[in-house]
Amino acid sequence: QVHVEESGGGLVQPGGSLRLSCAASGFIFRFTTMEWYRQAPGKQRELVARISTNNSTNYADSVKGRFTISRDNAKTTVYLQMNSLKSEDTAVYYCSLLGGGYWGQGTQVTVSS
């Protein structure tokens, strides 16, 4: 069965950095496009970043230039490196297979001074 588990969130100061990890299992990871989503209070869940099977990437305009998605097929893990964090980045972050629907419980990212 498909399983993903997010980790790495926490409290960080504005301008700081965090690296989120998503460990995946139950499917052929190297043949699957992976995505990161986030959901802030009072807002809809939004797609943050996507990485394809050939390492092509896409980002939401709000995070472009600050966030980097990557994958390690040997470890079946996808990462989200978050730099220059802003208070507006505060949200629960989820990873999923392409199209969503298989995310875990998420990991909380709080950006505050």
Side-chain angles (χ1 to χ4, degrees):
Q1 59 273 50
V2 173
H3 179 76
V4 295
E5 183 172 336
E6 303 92 343
S7 63
L11 176 64
V12 65
Q13 305 298 310
S17 298
L18 283 174
R19 189 179 76 157
L20 307 184
S21 298
C22 175
S25 63
F27 60 99
I28 306 176
F29 181 86
R30 70 184 187 275
F31 292 152
T32 305
T33 292
M34 299 296 295
E35 301 174 326
W36 282 98
Y37 292 78
R38 68 184 181 186
Q39 187 164 24
K43 293 188 175 182
Q44 297 181 357
R45 187 172 297 187
E46 65 171 334
L47 179 64
V48 174
R50 172 183 293 141
I51 184 165
S52 72
T53 56
N54 66 356
N55 285 325
S56 178
T57 59
N58 289 280
Y59 299 93
D61 288 341
S62 58
V63 307
K64 192 172 298 182
R66 300 187 297 119
F67 291 11
T68 302
I69 188 171
S70 61
R71 65 192 298 156
D72 186 332
N73 288 337
K75 296 181 178 180
T76 64
T77 299
V78 61
Y79 304 95
L80 186 67
Q81 178 66 47
M82 306 185 296
N83 299 325
S84 301
L85 283 162
K86 307 173 181 179
S87 60
E88 296 81 24
D89 297 317
T90 296
V92 178
Y93 285 72
Y94 304 88
C95 69
S96 184
L97 286 66
L98 175 65
Y102 292 96
W103 28 59
Q105 294 184 354
T107 185
Q108 176 72 50
V109 172
T110 302
V111 184
S112 178
S113 60

